[in-house]
Amino acid sequence: MYQDHFSLSASSPAGTAPPAAPAPLRVGLLGLGTVGSGTYAVLQRNAALIAARAGRRIEVRMVAVRNLARARTVLGEEPGTPLLTDDPQALVCSPEVDVVVEVMGGTGLARSLVLQAIAHGKHVVTANKALLAEHGAEIFAAAQARGVVVAYEGAVAVSIPIIKALREGLTANRIEWVAGIINGTSNFILSAMRERGLGFAAALAEAQALGYAEADPVFDVQGTDAAHKLSLLAANAFGTLSQYPQVQVQGITAVDAADVAFAEQLGYRLKLLGIAKRHGTGLELRVHPTLLPESHLLAQVHGSMNAVMVKSDAAGITLYYGAGAGAEQTGSAVIADLVDLARSASLAPAQRVPALGFASGVQPGLPVVGADDVESAFYVRLDLSRPDATVPRVLQQLAADGVQVQRMAPHPHPSDPELRCLVLLTAPLALRTLRPALQAVEAWPTVLGYASVLRVESLA
Ligand code: NDP
Ligand code: HSE
């Protein structure tokens, strides 16, 4: 059987006392659900290895939950088991705790506890992207004023060290765009619908049972969770504070299976993407279902996996792939932050890696480009009666309004034998140009029902 052989006590010459082991980093865990229990399990299992890397032990001293009985089944009764409490306030001001790991979720109590922890001089590690997207400015400012760290690798694309990549690995680069699949639940649902023919509700129920979904899964399927994460990626890529309220968000709830099938016949796959991109002196910040060429690397990301692609001036395109949700997968990222802290806690604040990657010059916000001005190719589906007469008129109208059609494919309507679906792929253009053309044709009596409009990206 494999046994850790790591030891923290340096060997000492014969007859001399061994040097004292360095003081452990003492952790208080706020929450012991999916992420909390995954973090605890990995810290226990790999304790010696983690200590060898960190230079000192990382010990969970206290755990706060609501349901003590359930938490006892996770922690067990062994000697050295952390103190369990249902009073999170006691944890955040305990003198037995150096760093508070917030993995309880939410933005109300979590915000207040994190601010209290900071006020008591505790470092904070959190996987709570909603908290940082909404209250990051306040929390990072409080941490800076108190000289403590707020670390959050687990908040974005869990097992992928993307915050470290942007903040440290790509630090030499002017980043052009960051784009990725950053919500595991919605990618799991889209994959299950496509690969196993599962319905939306059944696929979501599976994702929930596997612990991938947020406490309120509306955050996953409506794109909010991806928008939270995108705002953190953009902050690190472009040196802004979180601009979460400005992210254009569209989730997967309105995705029509017929469009997925039609797009596949044209060689495209549908993915929920988050895209943050320089645009003049501002930014595009958007989350929406997107068609990608089927050969694109991001189109190969299935199930709850995530992937983030970064285009930067010196490194070029880099790609990061890994689990997008899950207990130990997130625990891995939380512990990476704890190891960074164990190594750097004694440094002066100015010597630590800055929270958002920029030691100076962080801007409160860059102008965000509205959806109408963002250019891309589009997939458009129109449901028609009398297609022989209507299709030529549609093409004439689009051409007159400056919309260049690159490909066109007619299909039987998925449920109404009287109708035809006309699928069009446009050349890149702004939505501002496409919208009036579509409004004109939708007003005709032979153009019926809902017209799907999806962005198509090449991310080349
Ligand atoms: P869970 O619902 O599984 O766990 C939440 C934990 O917090 C539970 O132990 C719960 O206690 C505790 N808790 C909640 N409210 C309170 C309270 N008022 N007082 C004390 N304890 C409380 O959530 P997850 O582990 O899935 O998610 C936690 C955070 O991590 C969220 O911010 C989420 O967005 C984020 N995250 C989740 C990932 C995932 O894959 N699930 C991945 C990355 C980030 P009790 O059980 O007793 O109710
Ligand atoms: N609910 C989130 C997701 C968890 O599915 O991506 C990881 O942040």
Side-chain angles (χ1 to χ4, degrees):
M1 189 181 118
Y2 170 79
Q3 279 199 309
D4 277 346
H5 55 276
F6 306 102
S7 163
L8 285 181
S9 40
S11 58
S12 50
T16 61
L25 184 73
R26 301 168 306 168
V27 173
L29 262 185
L30 281 177
L32 195 67
T34 302
V35 178
S37 57
T39 302
Y40 187 73
V42 178
L43 273 174
Q44 296 305 108
R45 188 171 73 236
N46 293 345
L49 179 147
I50 291 166
R53 288 195 165 130
R56 53 182 168 141
R57 295 188 71 81
I58 296 177
E59 296 178 357
V60 179
R61 291 290 176 91
M62 242 177 135
V63 176
V65 295
R66 287 174 296 205
N67 184 331
L68 296 172
R70 187 166 54 206
R72 271 192 203 101
T73 64
V74 176
L75 296 175
E77 306 281 350
E78 307 278 305
T81 300
L83 184 67
L84 190 56
T85 177
D86 58 4
D87 179 3
Q89 317 271 351
L91 185 149
V92 296
C93 57
S94 166
E96 284 298 301
V97 166
D98 304 312
V99 47
V100 170
V101 172
E102 185 279 301
V103 284
M104 56 187 277
T107 55
L109 182 60
R111 169 184 163 274
S112 144
L113 292 170
V114 161
L115 290 171
Q116 284 177 60
I118 292 169
H120 281 92
K122 318 285 184 205
H123 302 291
V124 172
V125 173
T126 178
N128 189 339
K129 51 272 174 174
L131 177 68
L132 294 181
E134 290 183 16
H135 302 292
E138 180 187 23
I139 289 171
F140 290 124
Q144 189 173 17
R146 195 64 175 77
V148 295
V149 170
V150 173
Y152 53 93
E153 188 66 73
V156 186
V158 301
S159 69
I160 306 172
I162 187 63
I163 299 300
K164 204 175 243 313
L166 288 171
R167 218 161 57 168
E168 299 177 49
L170 294 174
T171 198
N173 288 263
R174 182 178 198 275
I175 291 172
E176 290 300 319
W177 50 256
V178 182
I181 295 167
I182 48 179
N183 180 263
T185 300
S186 50
N187 202 48
F188 180 90
I189 293 171
L190 290 175
S191 302
M193 290 170 75
R194 176 180 171 271
E195 291 157 19
R196 293 189 279 142
L198 230 56
F200 186 94
L204 172 58
E206 263 193 36
Q208 287 178 292
L210 290 163
Y212 300 153
E214 296 301 300
D216 180 355
V218 163
F219 279 64
D220 295 291
V221 297
Q222 289 192 347
T224 316
D225 176 74
H228 289 151
K229 293 166 178 165
L230 188 74
S231 72
L232 292 170
L233 290 174
N236 281 280
F238 305 116
T240 69
L241 287 174
S242 164
Q243 292 189 272
Y244 163 64
Q246 282 94 52
V247 180
Q248 296 157 29
V249 192
Q250 185 192 346
I252 61 168
T253 45
V255 165
D256 185 332
D259 289 315
V260 176
F262 296 158
E264 292 214 355
Q265 288 173 35
L266 291 167
Y268 290 88
R269 291 276 164 82
L270 187 82
K271 293 288 176 191
L272 183 72
L273 288 193
I275 301 175
K277 190 175 185 180
R278 284 189 193 277
H279 184 126
T281 53
L283 290 180
E284 294 174 18
L285 291 175
R286 46 196 173 101
V287 170
H288 48 69
T290 312
L291 295 184
L292 285 167
E294 64 189 0
S295 59
H296 196 280
L297 287 168
L298 290 179
Q300 322 307 321
V301 177
H302 304 297
S304 63
M305 301 305 282
N306 279 188
V308 181
M309 200 170 241
V310 183
K311 170 98 186 294
S312 51
D313 65 345
I317 285 186
T318 52
L319 174 67
Y320 311 83
Y321 172 83
E328 292 202 359
Q329 293 88 339
T330 315
S332 162
V334 169
I335 296 166
D337 280 342
L338 288 172
V339 170
D340 275 351
L341 258 174
R343 291 168 174 158
S344 68
S346 61
L347 295 178
Q351 292 173 298
R352 299 185 191 132
V353 178
L356 296 170
F358 285 71
S360 63
V362 173
Q363 304 171 67
L366 291 172
V368 175
V369 179
D372 271 4
D373 293 315
V374 171
E375 283 197 12
S376 70
F378 286 90
Y379 164 105
V380 177
R381 181 184 117 205
L382 300 170
D383 294 350
L384 313 174
S385 65
R386 299 184 44 230
D388 291 347
T390 311
V391 170
R393 275 190 74 201
V394 167
L395 295 177
Q396 269 175 11
Q397 178 74 47
L398 294 182
D401 285 337
V403 178
Q404 196 187 332
V405 174
Q406 293 194 321
R407 289 174 74 184
M408 182 176 81
H411 293 277
H413 191 276
S415 57
D416 186 340
E418 302 293 312
L419 297 181
R420 299 286 283 171
C421 298
L422 176 66
V423 168
L424 306 167
L425 285 185
T426 74
L429 78 169
L431 185 57
R432 179 184 299 290
T433 307
L434 180 63
R435 194 191 297 282
L438 291 183
Q439 282 167 347
V441 298
E442 272 187 317
W444 302 342
T446 52
V447 177
L448 299 161
Y450 169 70
S452 305
V453 179
L454 296 165
R455 287 192 187 270
V456 181
E457 294 282 349
S458 60
L459 295 177

